[in-house]
């Protein structure tokens, strides 16, 4: 699979991920500073967070290289609280 | 058995079993009083029987832990015990103190006992599980200090292993937390608050370390699995026990007058307490599955596996059942609590003490690895009788508890306490019968030490 | 398996994540704890939206951004440390680890500043349920940062003594994985508690 090529796994990939994480965090921060709220915005911010978590799991933790059972726990962990939080915010609005 | 001084474990194990019998007899007396209110009145009132039942339990478990430590610490440290004499002396001090205390409970009214023993000077009596006169408590501290000194010196001189380390942390923690039994503030909220530091932080904190290390020790011995793997598990289990169990104390702070955040802290963290117990079950079974050899002492393996399962059921499942504050609001202090208390204590601590006795006693009595076939068969019977009886006790009390909560706390026009109790009689009778079954199991257990002890040892071949 | 400049971990696929499997069991258990905490927060908020929205505004977003960046950066440094040891460069590995620990310290200092501010205003766990959750959640995470720093420090010391090599470095991976978990949790905590409304 092309995803598993060296260039994806290298330091350079991690560096890109790192910058991406910084930017996404900054966007989240801006949303907060501008006082934006409401369901859509909240879910978007949450989505960013889940994506960030996913990247940390795949690249920093190196799970992208792991096949089988251990590939999944972090992703699943992100999804379950993510869904629960979404439901709670949905019901709250 | 590799070191002569391990023999000091024998009196501790024997003393433990003697008190175990007393505990169960008083349990049966109480069980009967539940359905025949004036049974043995006025000789043994319910509250006295209850004290004897619970205190005997605690004391014999402590003796069992001490025996376990005296057995396994020298073996792990690969050196003789620092002072076998001190260990023997302390046993007799401990046993005499326990005997005198029980005699005190039975012979004089509790308030008189408090007067005689000078409770006014340093009032510590009158709280569940900590009813002992202050001098008995001081005696316990002295015994514990001598015990820790003895073990500490042994470990310092010998090999340091993870099992010894974890066991020592558990035992030191046990002793340190017991000091809170001397703190008895007049403010009832504070009193209850710190009372749980002893009771809860024992069974859901430091005792879990003792449980884990004894389990790990026996598993290494009977399975031959690498120490390194077993130690790793041990570390994760105790880390989880502490992460969940320390703040989990909050599940006792819901209704005693503490700030509201305990509702959340207590519910969330205690809800995680089943995790370490679950890990222990997985741990025990996977080690046995990966075993490098078949040990001829198969009943010890059975106890180890049984302990891991019953501890998970009693503590993990039955504990979780009522640990969230909205549930506990209804179930607090009902028969459900007693159901949980019984199975958890039995599954985790009674069974682990019986596990180490089952593993060590044959060796201490001069066998090379295991008891005879006949002894083991008998012990296996006793395992199942006691374990099934305890499961039945738990189930009957659970049924009684659910009905009690319903009648007394949920109904639109709830029944008063005693009227609700009247509806539960049938469950209490069934509990008593299961109790008799438990006693039979216990008697068989004791018989397994004597019946067939002259026969040759079981070997792996005869089992396979 | 050859370690090249461009790869972290082993370049081939594997069945198990890098680091000791035991730490992964532990990480999953920890994630479960935090996951429950997050969900409970969200549902508690559901019953108290106004209160949560009001007091969320009293939090210091700047501090939160600095801390988020600090943890991400720190995680990235740990990635570099792992890459360094994969090449057998212990001293470089140590330097990256120290940098990561320093970023952890930044986090602690900033977070302590926030706490000092709240406590100075007389805010505590009993002030209201928003603060109860905010303080509990962040403090629980705070403790994990400290724990992670201790682990990283232990790894750094061993690396400094030459305890790891290009072929034998499970310990570095183990510490790294735990640290990434601490980061991961914060990445959810930050928007949930500070931003989402
Ligand atoms: C081996 C471990 C354990 C033992 C020996 C044990 C024993 C006990 C005992 C004897 C009591 C009754 C205390 C009293 O009021 O006199 C009790 C209460 C309680 N236990 Fe445990 N327990 C254990 C583990 C757990 C766990 C893991 C949980 C939660 C998951 C739990 C949840 C509770 C709760 C919520 C109560 C209070 C019940 C009430 O409100 O009446 N326990 N436990
Ligand atoms: C190894 C076995 C046993 C253990 C570990 C054990 C443990 C305990 C504990 C921890 C308590 C205090 C419960 C609480 O505070 O909620 C207790 C109380 C009691 N136990 Fe046992 N017990 C055992 C066997 C028995 C047996 C065989 C019987 C009788 C059939 C029995 C009858 C009782 C009764 C009637 C109480 C008093 C409950 C109350 O206060 O309402 N126990 N036991
Ligand atoms: Fe508890």
């Amino acid at each position: 699979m092309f995803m598993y090529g060296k260039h994806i796994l290298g330091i350079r990939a991690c560096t890109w991920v790192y910058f991406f994480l910084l930017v996404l965090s900054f966007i989240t921060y801006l949303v907060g500073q501008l006082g934006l709220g409401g369901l859509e915005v909240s879910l978007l911010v949450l989505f960013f967070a889940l994506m960030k978590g996913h990247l940390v799991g795949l690249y920093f933790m190196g799970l992208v290289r792991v096949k089988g059972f251990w590939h999944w726990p972090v992703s699943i962990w992100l999804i379950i609280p993510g869904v629960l939080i979404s439901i709670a915010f949905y019901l709250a609005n | 058995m590799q070191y002569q001084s391990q023999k000091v474990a024998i009196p501790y194990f024997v003393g433990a079993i003697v008190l175990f019998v007393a505990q169960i007899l008083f349990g049966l007396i109480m069980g009967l009083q539940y359905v025949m209110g004036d049974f043995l009145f006025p000789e043994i009132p319910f509250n006295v029987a209850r004290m004897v039942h619970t205190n005997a339990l605690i004391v014999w478990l402590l003796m069992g832990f001490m025996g376990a430590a005296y057995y396994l610490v020298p073996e792990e440290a690969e050196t003789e015990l620092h002072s076998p004499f001190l260990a023997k002396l302390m046993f007799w001090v401990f046993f005499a103190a326990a005997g005198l205390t029980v005699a005190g409970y039975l012979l004089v009214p509790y308030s008189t006992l408090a007067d005689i023993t000078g409770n006014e000077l340093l009032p510590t009596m009158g709280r569940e599980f900590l009813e002992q006169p202050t001098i008995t408590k001081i005696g316990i501290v002295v015994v514990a200090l001598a015990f820790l000194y003895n073990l500490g010196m042994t470990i310092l001189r010998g090999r340091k292993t993870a099992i010894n380390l974890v066991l020592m942390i558990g035992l030191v923690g046990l002793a340190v937390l017991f000091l809170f039994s001397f703190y008895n503030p007049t403010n009832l909220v504070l009193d209850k608050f710190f009372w749980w530091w002893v009771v809860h932080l024992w069974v859901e904190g430091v005792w879990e370390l003792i449980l884990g290390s004894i389990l790990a020790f026996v598993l290494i011995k009977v399975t031959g699995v690498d120490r390194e793997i077993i130690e790793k598990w041990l570390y994760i289990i105790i880390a989880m026990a502490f992460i969940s169990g320390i703040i989990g104390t909050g599940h006792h702070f819901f209704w005693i007058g503490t700030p509201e955040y305990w509702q959340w802290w207590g519910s969330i963290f205690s809800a995680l307490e089943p995790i370490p117990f679950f890990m222990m079950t997985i741990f025990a079974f996977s080690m046995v599955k990966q075993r490098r050899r078949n040990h001829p002492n198969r009943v010890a393996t059975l106890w180890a596996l049984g302990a891991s399962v019953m501890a998970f059921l009693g503590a993990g499942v039955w504990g979780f059942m009522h640990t969230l504050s909205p549930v506990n609001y209804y179930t607090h202090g009902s028969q459900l609590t007693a159901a949980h208390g019984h199975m958890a204590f039995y599954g985790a601590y009674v069974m682990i003490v019986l596990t180490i006795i089952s593993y060590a006693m044959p060796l201490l009595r001069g066998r090379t690895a295991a008891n005879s076939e006949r002894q083991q068969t008998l012990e296996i019977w006793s395992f199942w009788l006691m374990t099934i009886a305890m499961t039945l006790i738990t189930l009957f009390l659970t049924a009684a508890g659910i009905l009690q909560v319903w009648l007394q706390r949920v109904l639109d026009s709830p029944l008063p306490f005693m009227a609700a109790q009247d509806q539960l009689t049938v469950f209490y009778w069934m509990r008593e019968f299961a109790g008799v079954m438990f006693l039979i199991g216990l008697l068989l257990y004791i018989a397994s030490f004597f019946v067939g002890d002259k026969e040759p040892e079981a070997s792996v071949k005869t089992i396979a | 398996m050859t370690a090249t400049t461009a790869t972290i971990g082993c370049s081939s696929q594997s069945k198990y994540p890098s680091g000791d499997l035991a730490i992964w069991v532990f990480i999953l258990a920890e994630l479960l704890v935090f996951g429950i905490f997050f969900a409970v927060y969200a549902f508690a908020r559901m019953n108290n939206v106004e209160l949560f929205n009001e007091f969320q505004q009293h939090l210091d977003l700047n501090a939160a951004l600095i801390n988020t960046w600090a943890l991400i950066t720190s995680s990235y440094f740990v990635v570099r440390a792992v890459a360094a040891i994969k090449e057998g460069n212990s001293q470089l590995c140590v330097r990256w680890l120290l940098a990561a620990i320093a970023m952890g310290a930044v986090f602690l200092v900033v977070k302590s500043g926030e706490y000092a501010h709240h406590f100075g205003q007389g805010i505590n766990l009993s002030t209201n349920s928003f603060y109860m959750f905010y303080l509990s959640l962040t403090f629980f995470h705070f403790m994990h940062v400290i724990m992670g720093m201790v682990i990283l420090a232990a790894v750094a010391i061993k690396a400094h003594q030459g305890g790891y090599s290009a072929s034998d470095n499970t310990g570095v991976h183990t510490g790294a994985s735990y640290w990434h978990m601490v980061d991961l949790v914060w990445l959810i905590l930050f928007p949930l508690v500070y931003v989402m409304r």
Side-chain angles (χ1 to χ4, degrees):
Chain A
M1 278 223 297
F2 73 95
M3 272 286 289
Y4 293 91
K6 241 185 222 167
H7 55 290
I8 299 278
L9 296 173
I11 286 293
R12 197 172 302 154
C14 286
T15 308
W16 281 114
V17 166
Y18 168 57
F19 287 133
F20 193 52
L21 292 176
L22 292 183
V23 172
L24 281 183
S25 304
F26 188 69
I27 295 176
T28 305
Y29 164 81
L30 279 185
V31 170
Q33 276 303 5
L34 297 174
L36 299 181
L39 184 61
E40 293 79 11
V41 175
S42 292
L43 291 187
L44 189 69
V45 167
L46 180 64
F47 179 72
F48 283 169
L50 298 181
M51 259 184 34
K52 281 153 61 182
H54 207 62
L55 290 171
V56 168
L58 287 182
Y59 290 91
F60 287 10
M61 288 173 156
L63 295 178
V64 69
R65 277 172 284 109
V66 180
K67 295 279 276 181
F69 177 82
W70 284 98
H71 183 75
W72 298 109
V74 171
S75 315
I76 294 172
W77 177 77
L78 287 164
I79 289 167
I80 293 174
V83 168
L84 289 174
I85 294 169
S86 307
I87 292 175
F89 272 76
Y90 176 75
L91 292 177
N93 279 51
Chain B
M1 195 192 69
Q2 295 157 4
Y3 300 92
Q4 274 309 310
S5 52
Q6 288 177 288
K7 281 223 160 85
V8 298
I10 295 176
Y12 284 90
F13 289 155
V14 174
I17 293 174
V18 169
L19 287 172
F20 185 13
V21 175
Q23 182 222 335
I24 297 307
L25 291 178
F26 279 86
L28 285 169
I29 291 174
M30 264 193 297
L32 210 50
Q33 287 172 337
Y34 245 90
V35 282
M36 297 169 48
D38 53 4
F39 178 66
L40 284 185
F41 184 83
E43 286 78 18
I44 306 181
F46 179 85
N47 67 315
V48 172
R50 196 179 196 286
M51 264 186 323
V52 177
H53 181 64
T54 54
N55 291 13
L57 169 70
I58 302 298
V59 169
W60 86 256
L61 291 178
L62 292 180
M63 272 188 188
F65 292 163
M66 290 183 178
Y70 283 131
Y71 182 85
L72 74 77
V73 166
E75 189 156 327
E76 285 283 301
E78 295 183 334
T79 172
E80 293 286 350
L81 186 67
H82 176 66
S83 167
F85 170 75
L86 184 62
K88 268 182 243 160
L89 180 71
M90 283 302 133
F91 169 76
W92 288 109
V93 172
F94 198 15
F95 199 70
L100 283 175
T101 305
V102 171
Y105 289 161
L106 292 173
L107 296 179
V108 296
Y110 191 65
S111 60
T112 315
L113 184 63
D115 287 338
I116 306 174
T117 57
N119 189 51
E120 281 102 287
L121 299 176
L122 177 59
T124 67
M125 293 172 72
R127 295 168 298 163
E128 194 196 352
F129 296 117
L130 306 180
E131 293 96 344
Q132 314 82 24
T134 304
I135 41 170
T136 306
K137 290 200 182 81
I138 295 174
I140 294 176
V141 172
V142 171
V143 171
L145 283 178
F147 166 70
L148 291 174
Y149 163 77
N150 212 345
L151 294 181
M153 295 305 283
T154 312
I155 290 179
L156 282 181
R157 201 174 58 201
R159 182 173 69 139
K160 279 110 196 135
T161 66
I163 290 182
N164 267 352
L165 179 74
V166 171
L167 182 67
M168 271 313 270
I169 298 176
L171 292 169
V172 171
L174 186 158
V176 169
L177 289 168
F178 184 68
L179 296 180
F180 283 99
S181 72
F182 290 94
Y183 181 57
N184 190 5
T186 40
N187 179 328
L188 260 185
V189 178
L190 289 178
D191 174 20
K192 274 282 166 197
F193 191 87
F194 289 107
W195 180 79
W196 285 112
W197 282 36
V198 186
V199 178
H200 169 100
L201 288 179
W202 264 10
V203 300
E204 290 156 74
V206 290
W207 285 28
E208 280 182 65
L209 272 60
I210 301 171
L211 166 61
S213 54
I214 298 178
L215 190 62
F217 175 80
V218 173
L219 286 173
I220 287 183
K221 297 292 169 184
V222 300
T223 66
V225 170
D226 272 354
R227 178 175 284 277
E228 212 180 283
I229 300 179
I230 287 188
E231 288 174 350
K232 225 174 265 166
W233 274 93
L234 190 56
Y235 282 131
I236 306 182
I237 288 170
I238 60 170
M240 275 327 287
F242 277 163
I243 288 179
S244 60
I246 294 177
I247 302 181
T249 321
H251 64 184
H252 303 294
F253 297 162
F254 297 153
W255 328 116
I256 65 171
T258 48
E260 192 189 330
Y261 57 85
W262 282 112
Q263 305 278 336
W264 296 99
W265 283 22
S267 299
I268 294 174
F269 283 90
S270 72
L272 298 160
E273 284 182 39
I275 295 176
F277 287 100
F278 184 63
M279 286 176 167
M280 257 185 258
T281 317
I282 305 283
F283 167 53
F285 276 83
S286 75
M287 291 309 114
V288 170
K289 206 172 144 212
Q290 294 172 35
R291 69 182 176 277
R292 297 265 182 77
R293 59 164 173 261
N294 281 320
H295 198 280
N297 193 344
R298 62 203 161 113
V299 65
T301 317
L302 180 65
W303 279 113
L305 292 176
S308 75
V309 172
M310 295 302 284
F312 173 63
L313 286 179
V317 177
W318 255 263
F320 183 80
M321 216 157 67
H322 58 174
T323 205
L324 301 176
S325 92
V327 178
N328 194 264
Y329 179 76
Y330 290 100
T331 63
H332 181 54
S334 68
Q335 294 297 329
L336 277 171
T337 309
H340 155 69
H342 274 86
M343 193 184 254
F345 256 115
Y346 174 75
Y349 301 117
V350 169
M351 287 181 88
I352 199 64
V353 170
L354 297 185
T355 304
I356 184 77
I357 293 181
S358 182
Y359 172 75
M361 251 334 211
L363 304 172
L364 289 168
R365 293 172 78 202
R367 301 276 200 183
T368 56
N371 274 334
S372 71
E373 201 53 47
R374 177 117 159 263
Q375 284 177 291
Q376 290 202 39
T377 308
L378 212 52
E379 199 180 331
I380 290 174
W381 270 91
S382 78
F383 168 93
W384 287 110
L385 274 173
M386 284 195 273
T387 305
I388 292 173
M390 187 44 79
T391 309
L392 290 176
I393 291 178
T394 307
L395 290 175
F396 297 148
L397 289 180
T398 305
I402 293 173
L403 190 57
Q404 178 192 12
V405 168
W406 176 256
L407 295 174
Q408 200 183 308
R409 296 177 179 171
V410 179
L411 279 186
D412 283 339
S413 46
L415 298 186
F417 179 83
M418 285 314 282
Q421 289 296 313
D422 272 344
Q423 309 287 315
L424 308 177
T425 315
V426 57
F427 295 116
Y428 294 142
W429 272 113
M430 295 201 289
R431 184 259 303 266
E432 185 69 353
F433 287 123
V436 173
M437 178 174 165
F438 192 97
L439 179 67
I440 296 172
L442 177 56
L443 295 177
L444 277 189
Y445 177 76
I446 294 169
S448 79
F449 286 82
F450 305 107
V451 178
D453 70 332
K454 300 284 180 296
E455 293 174 16
E457 287 193 42
S459 63
V460 181
K461 266 167 275 142
T462 59
I463 295 163
Chain C
M1 190 196 86
T2 51
T4 65
T5 334
T7 52
I8 47 165
C10 38
S11 43
S12 58
Q13 296 171 19
S14 79
K15 262 182 76 180
Y16 296 102
S18 55
D20 202 309
L21 205 56
I23 198 75
W24 280 93
V25 174
F26 190 58
I27 286 175
L28 292 191
E30 293 256 66
L31 286 178
L32 180 66
V33 182
F34 277 105
I36 291 176
F37 233 132
F38 292 157
V40 170
Y41 172 93
F43 282 99
R45 175 187 176 276
M46 194 175 90
N47 295 321
N48 245 323
V49 180
E50 263 104 71
L51 179 101
F52 275 62
N53 282 353
E54 179 187 344
F55 286 94
Q56 188 181 58
Q57 291 172 338
H58 295 270
L59 300 186
D60 185 350
L61 261 172
N62 295 324
L65 178 67
I66 295 174
N67 270 346
T68 309
W69 279 352
L71 282 189
I72 295 175
T73 306
S74 167
S75 243
Y76 176 69
F77 288 171
V78 164
V79 169
R80 302 297 301 240
V82 169
I85 198 66
K86 279 269 148 197
E87 293 171 34
N89 192 339
S90 288
Q91 291 322 308
L92 186 61
C93 170
V94 171
R95 259 174 274 144
W96 281 119
L97 284 175
L98 291 180
I101 294 171
M103 294 317 282
V106 169
F107 180 95
L108 294 184
V109 170
V110 173
K111 195 78 218 150
S112 301
E114 282 184 79
Y115 287 144
H117 175 72
H118 296 308
F119 295 150
Q121 294 183 327
I123 288 164
N124 60 39
L125 286 166
S126 299
T127 303
N128 60 41
S129 38
F130 175 75
Y131 278 119
M132 196 286 287
F133 275 106
Y134 163 74
L135 291 173
S136 317
L137 256 171
T138 54
F139 188 69
F140 190 51
H141 178 264
F142 189 86
M143 298 301 286
H144 281 78
V145 176
I146 296 178
M147 170 89 169
M149 286 167 67
V150 171
I151 294 178
L152 288 186
V155 173
I157 290 172
K158 188 165 170 198
H160 181 66
Q161 293 164 346
Y164 301 110
S165 66
S167 55
D168 171 20
N169 48 35
T170 311
V172 183
H173 277 113
T174 303
S177 299
Y178 189 83
W179 188 250
H180 293 316
M181 185 275 290
V182 174
D183 181 26
L184 178 63
V185 167
W186 178 262
L187 289 181
I188 309 295
L189 205 160
F190 162 53
L192 181 64
V193 174
Y194 284 83
V195 178
M196 288 169 65
R197 46 194 290 110

